[in-house]
Amino acid sequence: MPYFSRFSIGVRTISIGNTLPSADEQAALFSHVREAHKYEAIEDYVELIDDLINATGEARLVDIANRMGITQPTASKTIARLQREGYVTSEPYRSIFLTDKGKKTAESSRERHEIVYRFLMALGVQEENARRDSEGMEHHVSDETLAVFERFTATQSSKQ
Amino acid sequence: MPYFSRFSIGVRTISIGNTLPSADEQAALFSHVREAHKYEAIEDYVELIDDLINATGEARLVDIANRMGITQPTASKTIARLQREGYVTSEPYRSIFLTDKGKKTAESSRERHEIVYRFLMALGVQEENARRDSEGMEHHVSDETLAVFERFTATQSSKQ
DNA sequence: ACTAAAACTTAGCCAAGACTTATTTTATAC
DNA sequence: GTATAAAATAAGTCTTGGCTAAGTTTTAGT
């Protein structure tokens, strides 16, 4: 029994020629998304830490864990990684501080986040969904798209 | 030395009252995104498998791996999981087929993907970025936002 | 000042998703 | 029809990011 070869004269073979991107192009797309994934946790954490510091004066592990919806040990491990990678400093049993690198990341991350959020709102998406979607989308929007979003939002609000 | 208490009279405390969502609300947001993440791989795989079947007549592991930009063993493990979870069927050394569940997932996934892609194009984003961004965004767009995207695209194309 | 509660850490478990190296099976080409 | 190449699997490693249970340190309250 043949391996259902690509060159069989079965019915499906008719569809050869359906446009698929080249394997390399497509692989580059997926690699790009995977790359973005690596920074999602970092960005979410530093953004939250920055918010906590601004709103309450400090970033405590328990608050980070509660606001992320995870347990303290899980948060603790990620904070350790963030420290290893130079985004935060923290000493045992003390609260967490952002390094300059961490602050920069937090700021650009919040900026992206807000641009996406305001764009969705300007488009007419309900607040609840705008908040949910922007949280997921912010990590996957190129600079170009972000600029387009920003321009659109500006146009819309000037129309009011 | 105090633990830099929330109730200290330090400078930062002035900012108490900066609006943060409630911990529970924020946790729900992050949980939602984490939930979406769990389905990303599944959706990407079944969409690709469906594309391969339509374009070449079959979905071979080697092509899946090449197009995803990963090694065959990695693809193999994920296919095993997809099979465990009822999205595909496959026998050792044979190519991969979608179950009904897999086909449904592939179709709705491709539809979302295309809506997002066309929306970005309609907004004026360059094709390269539209392809990249839609690949990452498709998994984080609510039904409401998707509907808004679709309406916008329709409006734009009728303006041409 | 001491005790109880809260916060944090440590240790250990698990699954997903990436990798390499080696082996087995299938397909191809002569 | 057999040798070689290609495809798939197997085995083992690593990191991330989730968990629980148990222990330690700090904070808070009386």
Side-chain angles (χ1 to χ4, degrees), chain A residues 94-151:
Chain A
R94 294 283 116 102
S95 68
I96 292 125
F97 300 91
L98 292 173
T99 61
D100 282 352
K101 180 180 176 185
K103 278 179 205 160
K104 266 179 218 151
T105 305
E107 271 153 40
S108 81
S109 185
R110 181 175 30 250
E111 203 185 320
R112 296 185 93 74
H113 196 158
E114 279 174 7
I115 290 171
V116 173
Y117 173 75
R118 285 197 300 260
F119 170 74
L120 291 175
M121 291 295 285
L123 259 184
V125 175
Q126 292 294 115
E127 188 175 333
E128 171 86 9
N129 282 326
R131 275 203 272 125
R132 264 217 267 267
D133 293 357
S134 63
E135 188 62 61
M137 283 168 64
E138 65 163 314
H139 310 287
H140 301 280
V141 167
S142 62
D143 287 347
E144 190 204 353
T145 299
L146 205 67
V148 170
F149 281 8
E150 217 172 357
R151 228 183 307 130

Side-chain angles (χ1 to χ4, degrees), chain B residues 22-141:
Chain B
S22 87
D24 284 354
E25 277 174 341
Q26 199 166 8
L29 246 53
F30 284 118
S31 298
H32 185 264
V33 176
R34 277 198 300 277
E35 194 61 24
H37 272 297
K38 288 205 282 196
Y39 293 97
E40 283 202 30
I42 292 171
E43 289 172 9
D44 288 341
Y45 270 78
V46 296
E47 201 180 330
L48 176 56
I49 290 167
D50 198 39
D51 284 343
L52 282 169
I53 290 174
N54 287 328
T56 73
E58 67 176 344
R60 302 189 311 164
L61 192 67
V62 64
D63 294 324
I64 295 171
N66 285 157
R67 301 194 95 92
M68 299 269 290
I70 59 182
T71 59
Q72 283 178 233
T74 299
S76 184
K77 246 206 278 186
T78 302
I79 294 295
R81 177 162 78 89
L82 258 52
Q83 183 159 29
R84 238 177 23 238
E85 296 176 9
Y87 292 93
V88 306
T89 59
S90 79
E91 278 159 61
Y93 297 100
R94 293 283 114 101
S95 68
I96 292 126
F97 300 91
L98 293 173
T99 61
D100 282 351
K101 180 180 176 185
K103 276 179 206 160
K104 266 179 217 152
T105 304
E107 270 152 41
S108 81
S109 184
R110 181 175 30 249
E111 202 184 321
R112 296 185 91 73
H113 196 159
E114 278 174 9
I115 291 170
V116 173
Y117 173 75
R118 285 196 300 260
F119 170 74
L120 291 174
M121 293 295 285
L123 259 184
V125 175
Q126 292 294 116
E127 187 175 333
E128 172 86 9
N129 282 326
R131 276 204 271 124
R132 267 217 266 266
D133 292 357
S134 63
E135 189 63 61
M137 284 168 63
E138 64 162 316
H139 309 288
H140 300 281
V141 167

Side-chain angles (χ1 to χ4, degrees), chain A residues 38-88:
Chain A
K38 288 205 284 197
Y39 294 97
E40 283 202 31
I42 292 171
E43 289 173 8
D44 288 342
Y45 270 77
V46 296
E47 202 181 330
L48 176 57
I49 290 167
D50 198 38
D51 284 343
L52 282 169
I53 290 173
N54 287 328
T56 73
E58 66 175 345
R60 301 189 311 163
L61 192 66
V62 64
D63 294 323
I64 294 170
N66 285 157
R67 301 196 94 94
M68 300 269 289
I70 58 182
T71 60
Q72 283 179 231
T74 300
S76 184
K77 245 205 280 188
T78 304
I79 295 295
R81 177 162 77 90
L82 258 51
Q83 182 159 30
R84 236 174 30 234
E85 295 176 9
Y87 292 93
V88 306

